[in-house]
Each structure stands twice: as structure tokens, then as C-alpha cells.
Amino acid sequence: MYLAVAVGGFRRYASYRAATAAGVFTNTVFGLILVYTYLALWEERPGLGGYDQAQAVTYVWLGQCLYATLAIQGGGAEKDLMDRIRTGEIAVDLYRPADLQLWWLAGDVGRALFQMVGRGVVPFLVGWLFFPMALPGEAGLWAAFAVTLLLAAVVSFAIRYLAALSVFWLMDGMGVSQVLMILGVFCSGMVLPLNAFPGAFGDVVRWLPWAAQIQVPADVLMGETAVPGAFAFQAGWAVVLLGLGRLVQSAATRRVVVQGG
């Protein structure tokens, strides 16, 4: 059943062809802007964050590939879930013979897979064709990288699921979505690699769950971190956040009032 939900999520987003094409164009343009910004920065500060220029370029294009895949600024399953909680349609979801969290996770994984294939691959290929990139030649690293992407998708969902559940109490998700967007862009390393953040502040940010979304997959792909440690970090945050989501979900759905009834 959950596989069917995931397939449905993939097919739903595959139907928005014009939006996908616009997203490919946007991510490619932003990738070009960031690449030349990074090249200038790394020329002034060689080895910033432990990266050379090729690694910095690779980081940029990976970020553009994963931007929509991981819903860094939101816009994934949590948006629909917030709307259903606000309107009371969540009651239908609670009556389904399915686990609420797994149902939404499956749909979001399907969405993420399409966004990576339909929107993320082309900008990454543009970067590979026109800029020097630090990509591995070993199949094992590529396999490990694929695992980190799956774990990153789960962590991303878990963060956004918790944000969506807050609407049970807040009755509106606008403010939460704005906070989610700011934290997602800054703390995931979308703007600048977390390795480049200075001192104790950088140490703290690199231990937050958002680091599991871009920074960890990038370091695995470029051989800058131990694979078992990367898996443990991502899986640990996935378990913690999904477990916390279970607790909040249980508290929120223990007694649900829908449209005053």
C-alpha cells in the first residue's frame, strides 16, 4: 500500500511539466550565480572549509540538485498536511486503515524521487559538463552517496512533519512555514557549506539535523568523511525525529475537534 502511495506521489508531481521545466531553468541559473560567487570566494580564501575549488563547485551543483528533492524551503508533504489539518480533512486521513506518518512519508519519498530525476539531474549535469567537479570514480562511494540521499529525504520529511503537526494547535501554518524556510536554507548549508562556518557556531550547526540533508551527502560524495559515521549521523537523526513525530502525533490526535464537531 505504501509503495502505491509513493508511486502516486511520483506521478502527481510528474504531471506538472511546465513547473518542472521552470524549476530546472531556475536551479541552473542560480547554480551558475553561486558557482562564480564560490570561485571568487575560494580564490580569495583557498581551502575554505577544507574544500578546494573543484569541491566547492561540486557542492554548489549538488545543492541545486537537492534543493527541490529535499524541499529545503518547504513545499513538500507538509504543505498538504497543514492544509488538511486546518480545514479538518485530516479526519479522513485518521480513518484510513493506514499509519498516518508512514502514509505521508511514502508520498513525500515519491515526490522527492521525481524532483531529483525531473528537476535535479539536469542542473547537476550542466555543472559536470562545464565546470571542474570533484566526483569519485569508485562505485562504492556512489552507492554510499545514494544511501545518504535516502536518509537525507527521511530526515527532511521528519523535520517538516513535526512542523506540520504544530498546526493542530496553531490552526495556521504560515508562520511555521516561514521559520522552516529560513532554517532550511541557512542550517542545511544551501547558501554556504557548513564546514566554512567559524568556531563553536560552526560546530553546533554541523550537529543539527539539517546538516544531514546537504552537507553529509556532499562530504560522502567527495570522500571528505567516513561513510559509517555519516550513516550513523543521518540514521540517528531520522530515528529521533520520526520518534518525536510519533509522540507529537499521538498527543495531537488523542482528541481531535474538527470544525467544531
Side-chain angles (χ1 to χ4, degrees):
M1 177 178 63
Y2 298 112
L3 178 60
V5 173
V7 171
F10 184 98
R11 294 179 63 182
R12 173 190 172 188
Y13 281 85
S15 64
Y16 300 112
R17 298 176 183 175
T20 300
V24 169
F25 176 78
T26 301
N27 286 129
T28 302
V29 170
F30 272 96
L32 291 170
I33 294 171
L34 281 174
V35 159
Y36 285 110
T37 303
Y38 273 37
L39 288 175
L41 178 60
W42 258 258
E43 186 173 342
E44 292 294 322
R45 294 285 304 276
L48 179 64
Y51 290 163
D52 58 26
Q53 280 193 338
Q55 289 175 314
V57 169
T58 304
Y59 187 93
V60 168
W61 291 112
L62 181 61
Q64 295 306 308
C65 175
L66 298 181
Y67 171 77
T69 302
L70 302 179
I72 298 297
Q73 285 190 292
E78 84 287 349
K79 182 177 182 297
D80 292 336
L81 181 54
M82 286 177 177
D83 288 340
R84 293 182 72 82
I85 294 172
R86 181 179 56 81
T87 62
E89 292 176 284
I90 189 65
V92 176
D93 299 336
L94 293 173
Y95 272 112
R96 288 193 180 108
D99 182 86
L100 184 68
Q101 189 182 51
L102 288 178
W103 176 280
W104 287 97
L105 173 59
D108 198 61
V109 168
R111 176 207 60 80
L113 181 59
F114 172 77
Q115 293 288 26
M116 184 177 67
V117 175
R119 179 170 171 173
V121 170
V122 172
F124 192 81
L125 289 177
V126 169
W128 176 70
L129 287 172
F130 296 102
F131 296 91
M133 293 177 64
L135 299 178
E138 302 85 6
L141 269 182
W142 282 104
F145 173 65
V147 175
T148 65
L149 292 184
L150 177 60
L151 291 172
V154 175
V155 172
S156 171
F157 166 79
I159 293 171
R160 291 179 285 113
Y161 188 73
L162 278 169
L165 291 177
S166 69
V167 179
F168 274 109
W169 291 275
L170 299 176
M171 302 303 173
D172 185 82
M174 184 65 70
V176 175
S177 296
Q178 292 297 317
V179 172
L180 195 65
M181 178 183 69
I182 294 170
L183 289 175
V185 171
F186 185 78
C187 295
S188 69
M190 188 71 202
V191 177
L192 190 69
L194 301 181
N195 292 343
F197 284 30
F201 178 69
D203 294 336
V204 170
V205 174
R206 285 189 291 273
W207 277 104
L208 295 178
W210 288 274
Q213 297 183 58
I214 296 179
Q215 187 66 59
V216 172
D219 283 341
V220 168
L221 181 66
M222 295 184 289
E224 289 293 317
T225 189
V227 172
F231 287 172
F233 178 79
Q234 290 181 299
W237 271 118
V239 170
V240 169
L241 292 171
L242 289 175
L244 185 57
R246 287 277 179 182
L247 292 176
V248 176
Q249 173 186 308
S250 177
T253 57
R254 188 173 296 119
R255 181 174 180 272
V256 180
V257 177
V258 176
Q259 298 293 353

